Amino acid sequence: DLKTIVDALPLGLYIVGDAAYTLSEHLLVPYTGQHRQDPYQDSFNYHLSQLRIRVEMAFGYMVNKFRLLGRKLECSMEKNSAILMACARLHNFILKHDKPFAS
């Protein structure tokens, strides 16, 4: 399950979630309630939000580019992970090598 995968991440790697998730050693979630009054925690929330926005934008771009991702993947977690990794690598390849043709 997803919790097992998150808990097995190597030190220094994290998953970014929203306030609906519970904070763990590898799952970063925003501060809520009175904790948001602290300037450092408010700053953390801001930067975490900016990171989540960029991740969502990247997924949106990949869903538009690779229509396979626009529907539920009916595979195992390992196969879904491999599909996402392949799409991410193709995405990066396209960004690096997609240049206009020389005339």
Side-chain angles (χ1 to χ4, degrees), residues 26-62:
H26 295 287
L27 180 62
L28 302 176
V29 298
Y31 290 98
T32 59
Q34 292 294 336
H35 298 288
R36 293 182 303 182
Q37 304 297 330
D38 181 283
Y40 293 107
Q41 293 172 347
D42 185 53
S43 177
F44 174 84
N45 280 359
Y46 173 77
H47 288 91
L48 189 66
S49 172
Q50 292 299 305
L51 177 59
R52 287 186 59 232
I53 289 168
R54 298 305 183 277
V55 169
E56 289 171 9
M57 287 172 60
F59 271 105
Y61 180 84
M62 288 197 317

Side-chain angles (χ1 to χ4, degrees), residues 6 13-18 21-29:
V6 170
L13 293 182
Y14 305 94
I15 301 288
V16 177
D18 61 23
Y21 293 95
T22 304
L23 178 68
S24 74
E25 189 171 336
H26 295 287
L27 180 62
L28 302 176
V29 298

Side-chain angles (χ1 to χ4, degrees), residues 68-75 80:
L68 165 77
L69 301 177
R71 59 182 167 79
K72 182 178 180 183
L73 298 177
E74 300 284 343
C75 304
N80 286 342

Side-chain angles (χ1 to χ4, degrees), residues 81-97:
S81 178
I83 291 169
L84 288 172
M85 184 63 74
C87 289
R89 288 181 178 186
L90 285 169
H91 167 77
N92 289 340
F93 179 84
I94 290 166
L95 288 178
K96 183 175 182 181
H97 298 288

